[in-house]
mmCIF file with all atom_site columns, all heavy atoms in Angstrom:
data_model
loop_
_atom_site.group_PDB
_atom_site.id
_atom_site.type_symbol
_atom_site.label_atom_id
_atom_site.label_alt_id
_atom_site.label_comp_id
_atom_site.label_asym_id
_atom_site.label_entity_id
_atom_site.label_seq_id
_atom_site.pdbx_PDB_ins_code
_atom_site.Cartn_x
_atom_site.Cartn_y
_atom_site.Cartn_z
_atom_site.occupancy
_atom_site.B_iso_or_equiv
_atom_site.pdbx_formal_charge
_atom_site.auth_seq_id
_atom_site.auth_comp_id
_atom_site.auth_asym_id
_atom_site.auth_atom_id
_atom_site.pdbx_PDB_model_num
ATOM 1   N N   . VAL K 1 75 ? -11.217 6.952   -19.606 1.00 0.00 ? 75 VAL K N   1
ATOM 2   C CA  . VAL K 1 75 ? -12.609 6.867   -20.043 1.00 0.00 ? 75 VAL K CA  1
ATOM 3   C C   . VAL K 1 75 ? -12.601 7.262   -21.571 1.00 0.00 ? 75 VAL K C   1
ATOM 4   O O   . VAL K 1 75 ? -13.423 6.765   -22.259 1.00 0.00 ? 75 VAL K O   1
ATOM 5   C CB  . VAL K 1 75 ? -13.367 8.048   -19.205 1.00 0.00 ? 75 VAL K CB  1
ATOM 6   C CG1 . VAL K 1 75 ? -14.742 8.150   -20.000 1.00 0.00 ? 75 VAL K CG1 1
ATOM 7   C CG2 . VAL K 1 75 ? -13.592 7.346   -17.754 1.00 0.00 ? 75 VAL K CG2 1
ATOM 8   N N   . TYR K 1 76 ? -11.732 8.215   -22.059 1.00 0.00 ? 76 TYR K N   1
ATOM 9   C CA  . TYR K 1 76 ? -11.784 8.664   -23.348 1.00 0.00 ? 76 TYR K CA  1
ATOM 10  C C   . TYR K 1 76 ? -10.630 8.093   -24.233 1.00 0.00 ? 76 TYR K C   1
ATOM 11  O O   . TYR K 1 76 ? -10.422 8.693   -25.275 1.00 0.00 ? 76 TYR K O   1
ATOM 12  C CB  . TYR K 1 76 ? -11.961 10.207  -23.387 1.00 0.00 ? 76 TYR K CB  1
ATOM 13  C CG  . TYR K 1 76 ? -13.276 10.578  -23.114 1.00 0.00 ? 76 TYR K CG  1
ATOM 14  C CD1 . TYR K 1 76 ? -13.619 11.287  -21.910 1.00 0.00 ? 76 TYR K CD1 1
ATOM 15  C CD2 . TYR K 1 76 ? -14.442 10.289  -23.937 1.00 0.00 ? 76 TYR K CD2 1
ATOM 16  C CE1 . TYR K 1 76 ? -14.965 11.605  -21.600 1.00 0.00 ? 76 TYR K CE1 1
ATOM 17  C CE2 . TYR K 1 76 ? -15.684 10.739  -23.659 1.00 0.00 ? 76 TYR K CE2 1
ATOM 18  C CZ  . TYR K 1 76 ? -15.874 11.369  -22.490 1.00 0.00 ? 76 TYR K CZ  1
ATOM 19  O OH  . TYR K 1 76 ? -17.275 11.761  -22.168 1.00 0.00 ? 76 TYR K OH  1
ATOM 20  N N   . GLY K 1 77 ? -10.057 7.016   -23.820 1.00 0.00 ? 77 GLY K N   1
ATOM 21  C CA  . GLY K 1 77 ? -9.008  6.391   -24.641 1.00 0.00 ? 77 GLY K CA  1
ATOM 22  C C   . GLY K 1 77 ? -9.850  5.647   -25.749 1.00 0.00 ? 77 GLY K C   1
ATOM 23  O O   . GLY K 1 77 ? -10.538 4.793   -25.260 1.00 0.00 ? 77 GLY K O   1
ATOM 24  N N   . PRO K 1 78 ? -9.686  5.965   -27.053 1.00 0.00 ? 78 PRO K N   1
ATOM 25  C CA  . PRO K 1 78 ? -10.475 5.196   -28.009 1.00 0.00 ? 78 PRO K CA  1
ATOM 26  C C   . PRO K 1 78 ? -10.332 3.710   -28.029 1.00 0.00 ? 78 PRO K C   1
ATOM 27  O O   . PRO K 1 78 ? -11.317 2.934   -28.247 1.00 0.00 ? 78 PRO K O   1
ATOM 28  C CB  . PRO K 1 78 ? -9.938  5.821   -29.336 1.00 0.00 ? 78 PRO K CB  1
ATOM 29  C CG  . PRO K 1 78 ? -9.180  7.018   -29.024 1.00 0.00 ? 78 PRO K CG  1
ATOM 30  C CD  . PRO K 1 78 ? -8.700  6.886   -27.487 1.00 0.00 ? 78 PRO K CD  1
ATOM 31  N N   . GLY K 1 79 ? -9.121  3.184   -27.662 1.00 0.00 ? 79 GLY K N   1
ATOM 32  C CA  . GLY K 1 79 ? -8.971  1.821   -27.493 1.00 0.00 ? 79 GLY K CA  1
ATOM 33  C C   . GLY K 1 79 ? -8.864  1.159   -26.302 1.00 0.00 ? 79 GLY K C   1
ATOM 34  O O   . GLY K 1 79 ? -8.444  0.000   -26.048 1.00 0.00 ? 79 GLY K O   1
ATOM 35  N N   . THR K 1 80 ? -9.323  1.926   -25.306 1.00 0.00 ? 80 THR K N   1
ATOM 36  C CA  . THR K 1 80 ? -9.233  1.496   -23.871 1.00 0.00 ? 80 THR K CA  1
ATOM 37  C C   . THR K 1 80 ? -10.556 0.977   -23.297 1.00 0.00 ? 80 THR K C   1
ATOM 38  O O   . THR K 1 80 ? -11.524 1.648   -23.147 1.00 0.00 ? 80 THR K O   1
ATOM 39  C CB  . THR K 1 80 ? -8.726  2.580   -22.910 1.00 0.00 ? 80 THR K CB  1
ATOM 40  O OG1 . THR K 1 80 ? -7.455  3.105   -23.493 1.00 0.00 ? 80 THR K OG1 1
ATOM 41  C CG2 . THR K 1 80 ? -8.506  2.136   -21.480 1.00 0.00 ? 80 THR K CG2 1
ATOM 42  N N   . SER K 1 81 ? -10.480 -0.353  -22.739 1.00 0.00 ? 81 SER K N   1
ATOM 43  C CA  . SER K 1 81 ? -11.533 -0.853  -22.120 1.00 0.00 ? 81 SER K CA  1
ATOM 44  C C   . SER K 1 81 ? -11.326 -0.726  -20.698 1.00 0.00 ? 81 SER K C   1
ATOM 45  O O   . SER K 1 81 ? -10.221 -1.000  -20.209 1.00 0.00 ? 81 SER K O   1
ATOM 46  C CB  . SER K 1 81 ? -11.873 -2.398  -22.439 1.00 0.00 ? 81 SER K CB  1
ATOM 47  O OG  . SER K 1 81 ? -12.253 -2.511  -23.840 1.00 0.00 ? 81 SER K OG  1
ATOM 48  N N   . LEU K 1 82 ? -12.409 -0.436  -19.890 1.00 0.00 ? 82 LEU K N   1
ATOM 49  C CA  . LEU K 1 82 ? -12.233 -0.311  -18.397 1.00 0.00 ? 82 LEU K CA  1
ATOM 50  C C   . LEU K 1 82 ? -13.016 -1.282  -17.824 1.00 0.00 ? 82 LEU K C   1
ATOM 51  O O   . LEU K 1 82 ? -14.185 -1.569  -17.922 1.00 0.00 ? 82 LEU K O   1
ATOM 52  C CB  . LEU K 1 82 ? -12.809 1.152   -17.955 1.00 0.00 ? 82 LEU K CB  1
ATOM 53  C CG  . LEU K 1 82 ? -12.075 2.283   -18.711 1.00 0.00 ? 82 LEU K CG  1
ATOM 54  C CD1 . LEU K 1 82 ? -12.919 3.601   -18.362 1.00 0.00 ? 82 LEU K CD1 1
ATOM 55  C CD2 . LEU K 1 82 ? -10.607 2.377   -18.353 1.00 0.00 ? 82 LEU K CD2 1
ATOM 56  N N   . ILE K 1 83 ? -12.288 -2.042  -16.755 1.00 0.00 ? 83 ILE K N   1
ATOM 57  C CA  . ILE K 1 83 ? -12.884 -3.264  -16.189 1.00 0.00 ? 83 ILE K CA  1
ATOM 58  C C   . ILE K 1 83 ? -13.669 -2.817  -14.971 1.00 0.00 ? 83 ILE K C   1
ATOM 59  O O   . ILE K 1 83 ? -13.171 -2.138  -14.101 1.00 0.00 ? 83 ILE K O   1
ATOM 60  C CB  . ILE K 1 83 ? -11.708 -4.227  -15.831 1.00 0.00 ? 83 ILE K CB  1
ATOM 61  C CG1 . ILE K 1 83 ? -10.748 -4.529  -16.925 1.00 0.00 ? 83 ILE K CG1 1
ATOM 62  C CG2 . ILE K 1 83 ? -12.272 -5.465  -15.207 1.00 0.00 ? 83 ILE K CG2 1
ATOM 63  C CD1 . ILE K 1 83 ? -11.401 -5.037  -18.119 1.00 0.00 ? 83 ILE K CD1 1
ATOM 64  N N   . THR K 1 84 ? -14.932 -3.243  -15.021 1.00 0.00 ? 84 THR K N   1
ATOM 65  C CA  . THR K 1 84 ? -15.862 -2.780  -13.912 1.00 0.00 ? 84 THR K CA  1
ATOM 66  C C   . THR K 1 84 ? -16.220 -3.930  -13.137 1.00 0.00 ? 84 THR K C   1
ATOM 67  O O   . THR K 1 84 ? -16.827 -3.708  -11.892 1.00 0.00 ? 84 THR K O   1
ATOM 68  C CB  . THR K 1 84 ? -17.133 -2.126  -14.465 1.00 0.00 ? 84 THR K CB  1
ATOM 69  O OG1 . THR K 1 84 ? -17.673 -3.163  -15.460 1.00 0.00 ? 84 THR K OG1 1
ATOM 70  C CG2 . THR K 1 84 ? -16.731 -0.908  -15.277 1.00 0.00 ? 84 THR K CG2 1
ATOM 71  N N   . GLN K 1 85 ? -16.025 -5.165  -13.380 1.00 0.00 ? 85 GLN K N   1
ATOM 72  C CA  . GLN K 1 85 ? -16.296 -6.375  -12.659 1.00 0.00 ? 85 GLN K CA  1
ATOM 73  C C   . GLN K 1 85 ? -15.358 -7.407  -12.757 1.00 0.00 ? 85 GLN K C   1
ATOM 74  O O   . GLN K 1 85 ? -14.921 -7.660  -14.008 1.00 0.00 ? 85 GLN K O   1
ATOM 75  C CB  . GLN K 1 85 ? -17.812 -6.819  -13.036 1.00 0.00 ? 85 GLN K CB  1
ATOM 76  C CG  . GLN K 1 85 ? -18.289 -7.904  -11.906 1.00 0.00 ? 85 GLN K CG  1
ATOM 77  C CD  . GLN K 1 85 ? -19.537 -8.429  -12.362 1.00 0.00 ? 85 GLN K CD  1
ATOM 78  O OE1 . GLN K 1 85 ? -19.587 -9.313  -13.383 1.00 0.00 ? 85 GLN K OE1 1
ATOM 79  N NE2 . GLN K 1 85 ? -20.740 -8.154  -11.849 1.00 0.00 ? 85 GLN K NE2 1
ATOM 80  N N   . VAL K 1 86 ? -15.052 -8.046  -11.742 1.00 0.00 ? 86 VAL K N   1
ATOM 81  C CA  . VAL K 1 86 ? -14.028 -9.104  -11.567 1.00 0.00 ? 86 VAL K CA  1
ATOM 82  C C   . VAL K 1 86 ? -14.745 -10.347 -10.928 1.00 0.00 ? 86 VAL K C   1
ATOM 83  O O   . VAL K 1 86 ? -15.353 -10.244 -9.901  1.00 0.00 ? 86 VAL K O   1
ATOM 84  C CB  . VAL K 1 86 ? -12.745 -8.783  -11.000 1.00 0.00 ? 86 VAL K CB  1
ATOM 85  C CG1 . VAL K 1 86 ? -11.826 -10.082 -10.826 1.00 0.00 ? 86 VAL K CG1 1
ATOM 86  C CG2 . VAL K 1 86 ? -12.046 -7.771  -11.700 1.00 0.00 ? 86 VAL K CG2 1
ATOM 87  N N   . ALA K 1 87 ? -14.669 -11.572 -11.537 1.00 0.00 ? 87 ALA K N   1
ATOM 88  C CA  . ALA K 1 87 ? -15.160 -12.811 -10.940 1.00 0.00 ? 87 ALA K CA  1
ATOM 89  C C   . ALA K 1 87 ? -16.626 -12.789 -10.560 1.00 0.00 ? 87 ALA K C   1
ATOM 90  O O   . ALA K 1 87 ? -17.069 -13.055 -9.408  1.00 0.00 ? 87 ALA K O   1
ATOM 91  C CB  . ALA K 1 87 ? -14.353 -13.113 -9.719  1.00 0.00 ? 87 ALA K CB  1
ATOM 92  N N   . ASP K 1 88 ? -17.364 -12.178 -11.423 1.00 0.00 ? 88 ASP K N   1
ATOM 93  C CA  . ASP K 1 88 ? -18.788 -12.044 -11.369 1.00 0.00 ? 88 ASP K CA  1
ATOM 94  C C   . ASP K 1 88 ? -19.202 -11.231 -9.909  1.00 0.00 ? 88 ASP K C   1
ATOM 95  O O   . ASP K 1 88 ? -20.202 -11.499 -9.426  1.00 0.00 ? 88 ASP K O   1
ATOM 96  C CB  . ASP K 1 88 ? -19.564 -13.275 -11.277 1.00 0.00 ? 88 ASP K CB  1
ATOM 97  C CG  . ASP K 1 88 ? -19.378 -14.056 -12.647 1.00 0.00 ? 88 ASP K CG  1
ATOM 98  O OD1 . ASP K 1 88 ? -19.417 -13.243 -13.690 1.00 0.00 ? 88 ASP K OD1 1
ATOM 99  O OD2 . ASP K 1 88 ? -19.426 -15.251 -12.658 1.00 0.00 ? 88 ASP K OD2 1
ATOM 100 N N   . GLY K 1 89 ? -18.215 -10.341 -9.578  1.00 0.00 ? 89 GLY K N   1
ATOM 101 C CA  . GLY K 1 89 ? -18.509 -9.419  -8.413  1.00 0.00 ? 89 GLY K CA  1
ATOM 102 C C   . GLY K 1 89 ? -17.897 -9.973  -7.141  1.00 0.00 ? 89 GLY K C   1
ATOM 103 O O   . GLY K 1 89 ? -18.124 -9.320  -6.097  1.00 0.00 ? 89 GLY K O   1
ATOM 104 N N   . ALA K 1 90 ? -17.347 -11.178 -7.187  1.00 0.00 ? 90 ALA K N   1
ATOM 105 C CA  . ALA K 1 90 ? -16.709 -11.721 -5.960  1.00 0.00 ? 90 ALA K CA  1
ATOM 106 C C   . ALA K 1 90 ? -15.603 -10.835 -5.539  1.00 0.00 ? 90 ALA K C   1
ATOM 107 O O   . ALA K 1 90 ? -15.237 -10.915 -4.264  1.00 0.00 ? 90 ALA K O   1
ATOM 108 C CB  . ALA K 1 90 ? -16.390 -13.267 -6.182  1.00 0.00 ? 90 ALA K CB  1
ATOM 109 N N   . VAL K 1 91 ? -14.879 -10.296 -6.430  1.00 0.00 ? 91 VAL K N   1
ATOM 110 C CA  . VAL K 1 91 ? -13.711 -9.366  -6.134  1.00 0.00 ? 91 VAL K CA  1
ATOM 111 C C   . VAL K 1 91 ? -14.260 -7.822  -6.386  1.00 0.00 ? 91 VAL K C   1
ATOM 112 O O   . VAL K 1 91 ? -14.885 -7.584  -7.391  1.00 0.00 ? 91 VAL K O   1
ATOM 113 C CB  . VAL K 1 91 ? -12.575 -9.614  -7.013  1.00 0.00 ? 91 VAL K CB  1
ATOM 114 C CG1 . VAL K 1 91 ? -11.443 -8.629  -6.752  1.00 0.00 ? 91 VAL K CG1 1
ATOM 115 C CG2 . VAL K 1 91 ? -12.116 -11.022 -6.954  1.00 0.00 ? 91 VAL K CG2 1
ATOM 116 N N   . ARG K 1 92 ? -14.072 -7.051  -5.381  1.00 0.00 ? 92 ARG K N   1
ATOM 117 C CA  . ARG K 1 92 ? -14.662 -5.766  -5.431  1.00 0.00 ? 92 ARG K CA  1
ATOM 118 C C   . ARG K 1 92 ? -13.386 -4.686  -5.704  1.00 0.00 ? 92 ARG K C   1
ATOM 119 O O   . ARG K 1 92 ? -12.283 -5.048  -5.369  1.00 0.00 ? 92 ARG K O   1
ATOM 120 C CB  . ARG K 1 92 ? -15.287 -5.382  -3.994  1.00 0.00 ? 92 ARG K CB  1
ATOM 121 C CG  . ARG K 1 92 ? -16.232 -6.325  -3.558  1.00 0.00 ? 92 ARG K CG  1
ATOM 122 C CD  . ARG K 1 92 ? -17.417 -6.433  -4.376  1.00 0.00 ? 92 ARG K CD  1
ATOM 123 N NE  . ARG K 1 92 ? -18.291 -5.247  -4.409  1.00 0.00 ? 92 ARG K NE  1
ATOM 124 C CZ  . ARG K 1 92 ? -19.411 -5.227  -4.944  1.00 0.00 ? 92 ARG K CZ  1
ATOM 125 N NH1 . ARG K 1 92 ? -19.988 -6.179  -5.594  1.00 0.00 ? 92 ARG K NH1 1
ATOM 126 N NH2 . ARG K 1 92 ? -20.149 -3.978  -4.861  1.00 0.00 ? 92 ARG K NH2 1
ATOM 127 N N   . PRO K 1 93 ? -13.647 -3.629  -6.275  1.00 0.00 ? 93 PRO K N   1
ATOM 128 C CA  . PRO K 1 93 ? -12.564 -2.556  -6.458  1.00 0.00 ? 93 PRO K CA  1
ATOM 129 C C   . PRO K 1 93 ? -11.904 -2.208  -5.187  1.00 0.00 ? 93 PRO K C   1
ATOM 130 O O   . PRO K 1 93 ? -10.722 -1.997  -5.099  1.00 0.00 ? 93 PRO K O   1
ATOM 131 C CB  . PRO K 1 93 ? -13.388 -1.484  -7.049  1.00 0.00 ? 93 PRO K CB  1
ATOM 132 C CG  . PRO K 1 93 ? -14.559 -2.023  -7.616  1.00 0.00 ? 93 PRO K CG  1
ATOM 133 C CD  . PRO K 1 93 ? -14.997 -3.144  -6.747  1.00 0.00 ? 93 PRO K CD  1
ATOM 134 N N   . GLU K 1 94 ? -12.720 -2.251  -4.058  1.00 0.00 ? 94 GLU K N   1
ATOM 135 C CA  . GLU K 1 94 ? -12.126 -1.912  -2.739  1.00 0.00 ? 94 GLU K CA  1
ATOM 136 C C   . GLU K 1 94 ? -11.106 -3.059  -2.352  1.00 0.00 ? 94 GLU K C   1
ATOM 137 O O   . GLU K 1 94 ? -10.172 -2.645  -1.365  1.00 0.00 ? 94 GLU K O   1
ATOM 138 C CB  . GLU K 1 94 ? -13.181 -1.820  -1.784  1.00 0.00 ? 94 GLU K CB  1
ATOM 139 C CG  . GLU K 1 94 ? -14.150 -0.729  -1.824  1.00 0.00 ? 94 GLU K CG  1
ATOM 140 C CD  . GLU K 1 94 ? -15.333 -1.026  -2.919  1.00 0.00 ? 94 GLU K CD  1
ATOM 141 O OE1 . GLU K 1 94 ? -15.253 -2.185  -3.455  1.00 0.00 ? 94 GLU K OE1 1
ATOM 142 O OE2 . GLU K 1 94 ? -16.117 -0.102  -3.281  1.00 0.00 ? 94 GLU K OE2 1
ATOM 143 N N   . ASP K 1 95 ? -11.073 -4.069  -2.887  1.00 0.00 ? 95 ASP K N   1
ATOM 144 C CA  . ASP K 1 95 ? -10.089 -5.190  -2.606  1.00 0.00 ? 95 ASP K CA  1
ATOM 145 C C   . ASP K 1 95 ? -8.725  -4.833  -3.296  1.00 0.00 ? 95 ASP K C   1
ATOM 146 O O   . ASP K 1 95 ? -7.778  -5.380  -2.896  1.00 0.00 ? 95 ASP K O   1
ATOM 147 C CB  . ASP K 1 95 ? -10.526 -6.546  -3.108  1.00 0.00 ? 95 ASP K CB  1
ATOM 148 C CG  . ASP K 1 95 ? -11.835 -6.877  -2.377  1.00 0.00 ? 95 ASP K CG  1
ATOM 149 O OD1 . ASP K 1 95 ? -12.100 -6.495  -1.243  1.00 0.00 ? 95 ASP K OD1 1
ATOM 150 O OD2 . ASP K 1 95 ? -12.693 -7.689  -3.033  1.00 0.00 ? 95 ASP K OD2 1
ATOM 151 N N   . GLY K 1 96 ? -8.705  -3.874  -4.054  1.00 0.00 ? 96 GLY K N   1
ATOM 152 C CA  . GLY K 1 96 ? -7.282  -3.565  -4.799  1.00 0.00 ? 96 GLY K CA  1
ATOM 153 C C   . GLY K 1 96 ? -7.010  -4.240  -5.961  1.00 0.00 ? 96 GLY K C   1
ATOM 154 O O   . GLY K 1 96 ? -7.850  -4.828  -6.668  1.00 0.00 ? 96 GLY K O   1
ATOM 155 N N   . PRO K 1 97 ? -5.755  -4.134  -6.319  1.00 0.00 ? 97 PRO K N   1
ATOM 156 C CA  . PRO K 1 97 ? -5.195  -4.850  -7.548  1.00 0.00 ? 97 PRO K CA  1
ATOM 157 C C   . PRO K 1 97 ? -5.582  -6.336  -7.466  1.00 0.00 ? 97 PRO K C   1
ATOM 158 O O   . PRO K 1 97 ? -5.571  -6.912  -6.436  1.00 0.00 ? 97 PRO K O   1
ATOM 159 C CB  . PRO K 1 97 ? -3.782  -4.596  -7.509  1.00 0.00 ? 97 PRO K CB  1
ATOM 160 C CG  . PRO K 1 97 ? -3.603  -3.367  -6.731  1.00 0.00 ? 97 PRO K CG  1
ATOM 161 C CD  . PRO K 1 97 ? -4.632  -3.265  -5.666  1.00 0.00 ? 97 PRO K CD  1
ATOM 162 N N   . THR K 1 98 ? -5.815  -6.821  -8.743  1.00 0.00 ? 98 THR K N   1
ATOM 163 C CA  . THR K 1 98 ? -6.245  -8.396  -8.715  1.00 0.00 ? 98 THR K CA  1
ATOM 164 C C   . THR K 1 98 ? -5.675  -9.004  -10.046 1.00 0.00 ? 98 THR K C   1
ATOM 165 O O   . THR K 1 98 ? -5.286  -8.353  -10.953 1.00 0.00 ? 98 THR K O   1
ATOM 166 C CB  . THR K 1 98 ? -7.675  -8.313  -8.750  1.00 0.00 ? 98 THR K CB  1
ATOM 167 O OG1 . THR K 1 98 ? -8.295  -9.750  -8.791  1.00 0.00 ? 98 THR K OG1 1
ATOM 168 C CG2 . THR K 1 98 ? -8.288  -7.644  -10.007 1.00 0.00 ? 98 THR K CG2 1
#
Side-chain angles (χ1 to χ4, degrees):
V75 168
Y76 284 109
T80 303
S81 297
L82 304 172
I83 310 307
T84 57
Q85 188 188 73
V86 173
D88 294 329
V91 178
R92 312 293 293 186
E94 294 80 3
D95 298 331
T98 184

